[in-house]
Amino acid sequence: MSKKKPNNSDNTIARNKRARFDYHLEETFEAGIELRGWEVKSLRMGKADISDSYVFVRDGQAFLLGGNFTPLDTVSTHYVTEPDRTRRLLLHKRELAKLLAATQQKGLTCVCVSLYWKGHLVKAQIALARGKQEHDKRQTDKDRDWSRTKQKIMRDAVKQ
């Protein structure tokens, strides 16, 4: 009897759809997140927003800034909660060095693309990104619309 591996879409907690629209994602990394107990509980309920978050490296450590984890009502009576606190990311030294070198280059930044479960741990997918200009964003919209139209045409052709 083999265990069936769950689909990653089922394990996804939150996605930063804005990152793919605003940036060209170049290289991705998987990082652990240092969380408190109430934060894990709120993530299990799916109350996370990383749309305005980004990653910065300071003193040899990476931090997630701008992630908002809404506390549950039952937890917020027991603890002093900070929904938008800065959270430390857990990466290997080589990955940290690569991030630090890349973010010091002109035009590169590091953004959090998604949060997901890996077993019982919460992982963040972060990416080195280069900002898109306005005409690049318009081209992305055109490409997306064309692919939708193309799929619709193919569906109609198969029905006939």
Side-chain angles (χ1 to χ4, degrees):
M1 194 181 249
S2 65
K3 264 190 173 176
K4 194 172 185 183
K5 219 173 186 180
N7 190 357
N8 195 23
S9 64
D10 298 335
N11 296 335
T12 302
I13 300 167
R15 279 202 176 96
N16 188 354
K17 294 179 183 178
R18 195 80 195 153
R20 295 195 190 279
F21 182 73
D22 288 339
Y23 299 101
H24 292 289
L25 303 180
E26 295 182 0
E27 187 176 357
T28 61
F29 300 94
E30 179 181 73
I33 306 179
E34 193 175 90
L35 297 172
R36 296 185 178 148
W38 68 267
E39 293 172 328
V40 176
K41 289 179 182 182
S42 69
L43 287 178
R44 288 196 188 279
M45 299 301 292
K47 296 184 179 262
D49 179 30
I50 57 169
S51 59
D52 295 330
S53 65
Y54 65 96
V55 177
F56 69 95
V57 180
R58 182 181 58 204
D59 299 331
Q61 295 181 346
F63 296 94
L64 177 68
L65 185 69
N68 189 357
F69 299 176
T70 307
L72 301 174
D73 295 335
T74 57
V75 175
S76 61
T77 60
H78 302 280
Y79 296 104
V80 177
T81 57
E82 300 173 62
D84 55 350
R85 76 176 179 90
T86 303
R87 293 164 181 87
R88 189 163 68 117
L89 295 175
L90 308 172
L91 291 160
H92 293 284
K93 286 182 182 179
R94 278 192 197 135
E95 293 172 335
L96 283 169
K98 190 179 276 190
L99 284 177
L100 183 61
T103 54
Q104 288 176 345
Q105 289 180 7
K106 185 180 177 191
L108 282 178
T109 187
C110 190
V111 295
C112 183
V113 179
S114 67
L115 294 176
Y116 57 93
W117 294 103
K118 188 171 185 182
H120 67 284
L121 302 174
V122 177
K123 298 288 183 175
Q125 182 181 17
I126 59 175
L128 286 173
R130 189 174 305 276
K132 285 185 183 179
Q133 294 180 352
E134 193 64 35
H135 62 86
D136 292 333
K137 293 177 186 179
R138 285 194 295 266
Q139 186 62 38
T140 302
D141 283 340
K142 286 178 186 176
D143 292 342
R144 186 174 50 233
D145 290 342
W146 170 240
S147 66
R148 272 194 223 128
T149 306
K150 195 167 42 173
Q151 287 176 354
K152 186 177 179 182
I153 292 169
M154 292 300 290
R155 265 193 313 248
D156 293 343
V158 169
K159 286 181 182 178
Q160 291 177 359

